[in-house]
Amino acid sequence: MSDAFARVPALAAQHLLLAMAALALALVIGVPVAIRAARAPRLAGAVLGFASLVQTIPSLALLALFYPALLWIGHGVPALGFLPALLALTLYALLPIARNIVTGLRGLDPAVLEAADGIGMTRAQKLRLVELPLVLPIAMAGVRTAAVWTIGAATLSTTVGQPSLGDLIFAGLQTQAWTLVIAGCVGAAGLALGVDLLLGVAERAAGERRWKRAGAALLLLVAATAAASTPLWRGGGERRVVVGAKNFSEQYILARLIGDRLTRAGYAVTYRDGLGSAVAFGAVAGGEVDVYVDYAGTIWTAEMHRADTPPHAEQLSAIADWVQKSRGVTLLGALGFENAYAFAMRGDDAQRRGIGTLDDLVRVAPQLRFGADLEFLDRPEWAAIRRANPLRFASATPYAPTFMYRALESGRADVISAFSSDGRIAADRLTVLADPRHAIPGYDAIVLVAPAHRKDARFLDALRPLIGRIPVAAMREANYRVDRDRDKQSPEAAARWLAARIGL
Amino acid sequence: MPALSSGPAVAFEQVGKHYGDAAAIDGVSLTIAAGTFVALVGASGSGKSTLLKTVNRLVVPDRGRVLLDARDVADGPAPALRRRIGYVFQDVGLFPHLSVAENIALPLRLAGTPDAAHAMAMLDLVELPRAVATRMPAELSGGQRQRVGVARALVTRPGLLLMDEPFGALDPVTRESLAGAVKRLHDELALTTIMVTHDMAEALLLATRVIVMAAGRVVADEPPAALLAGAGGTAAQALVAVPRAQATRLAALST
């Protein structure tokens, strides 16, 4: 419990910095645009229409969309991390700010505006002395809404590689470590309440024309944000590296295993957890992440767009060539186990129906319900498998990985797209179906290193002992320590256990 | 009150204003001598408010011009013109976020000559207790608000006072009292005053010259006594007939 909450302050600081930066940027853009728009109905329609449209995009998708957009811009613009998160959250914060200012300005008493003109105010004086003071309360209400939304949505920045309290929530959801989820939620809610409270005090004080009090509240907020950004100004001295992890237990464990070795080699290690599959490789190629573990088949199908399934050694050397030539990424080596997509059924069910291979499965598939992980149904592997084996299930439902196993266990699904290194296969006594047509490519776990460390001997030497060292049985057990329901371990503890198990 | 101002003469030359096809003002020419109290009377839509607002450029005419002491109001920036003209209208338009004192002092601030003491003295002039200075507009009665409106309009000592239905929203007692105050200020400050009203009785009692408008044109232009004596034509006489009939009925009741 205390472990989970110990991570809150550092992540909360990053979270606050991101959210406040987005809010500030939204104000810088939104206020002048809204003031102009309030005088031009057509511009107002366009601005508010655009901002409303942005709101209809799910925030997770909005963040994800900035990745390809920034990638397309190129020219060294970082596609991951702070920038895409900042831009997405800024767009999100624009609507409540712009809408409230436009509505507020349009709703001002015409008599007051006539009086302002009548006593000879210039446009600027009218704005400064009359319109802005009168619109301030409703504008502040918009800013408060934007602040709360932004802090909430900032939890999703984890998925584009920007650390936030979402790290805890996503890691906790994946490993069913509810204390992590609670720590992340409580942290985010606390931040939102705190910021809203300060803005509320400023708003009320401004309404009562107690400017010192309003200023003090805003100053406190700025100071808190500035304090949150101090870790960014440090640096120098230590060598800082970032270890990436996708969003499931094995990735968290391997990231900590790698991170522990780099720490011992004298690096200051930070983690980027919960990266989307497509984002992770881009992150290491772009240098936002220094090292992470991927799987041969994922690079093979998703990055290299290959559909054939050559022998493993051949596949690995082809990948090593390709990642080096196309993106400057070093494939340090394979860890020694495979985490392939594997069709799994409840053991007794498979036996009763007489299913041992994908060929057998084709026959009975129309009577079975298929549970897949969130990505699988859209992945090229699934298309390849269906080309080799005409599978038609009664239904196909995507689940988050942990819930996928639950679905199989509870009978809501009869077949799932399991992972061959998953500890729950043995623990739940599942039957993994054979793939006689070799429709599924090899999924050896491979260590990918960012271009900057290509010739960094100290870095590579720290990681080399891991190569070929992790048998699938050891990985399964480490995974199970995190995934099991009782006596759960944290990924850090499982990583330490795994290091001892493989003699490092 | 220091150095009394003397209002400008106002001249309208063939002033016209159209909204779409409809003429709000249809070629009005008038000359108003300095120091006159003019009432512009007419039904709703007669163009009287529009004509008034061409003086301080809240309305810009399509044709013709308006002169203050032979100087075209269109010369120079509008804010500078408006600071030389007091403007009072039915909805008052006090700034709700400013206190009474700040409202009255604001035109002085705009002119770059803030003078809090003078602003306070304006309260005496419009017969308000100085205690209201710190109150917010929302805390005032309708009559008090319009008195503050008049104080704000006159704080920069303009020579010309434009009033657009200034007493329209007030109860009869307040109205009578405020009208008296305005008349007194007009005389004391030697203002040129143009007041728009739809109330002929008010016009007859306050003004030295009553101009009746209908459909964007001037249909009568007489001193009050002449109107009461039957001059000014049918449209004007129809308006005069209303208060006269009321007065007759009231007189009949008391005998």
Side-chain angles (χ1 to χ4, degrees), chain B residues 121-128 147-148 150-151 178 181 184-185:
Chain B
M122 291 306 293
L123 286 174
D124 306 340
L125 205 63
V126 295
E127 295 159 359
L128 278 175
R147 283 178 196 271
V148 175
V150 172
L178 191 52
R184 181 176 51 76
L185 286 170

Side-chain angles (χ1 to χ4, degrees), chain A residues 279-328:
Chain A
V279 164
F281 182 69
V284 80
E288 285 98 351
V289 159
D290 293 289
V291 57
Y292 83 110
V293 173
D294 212 325
Y295 304 94
T298 305
I299 302 293
W300 189 254
T301 52
E303 301 294 334
M304 297 165 68
H305 306 295
R306 299 275 292 259
D308 50 331
T309 52
H312 288 208
E314 219 174 279
Q315 185 195 21
L316 283 179
S317 70
I319 292 172
D321 279 354
W322 185 85
V323 296
Q324 185 73 69
K325 282 194 190 118
S326 67
R327 308 297 298 272

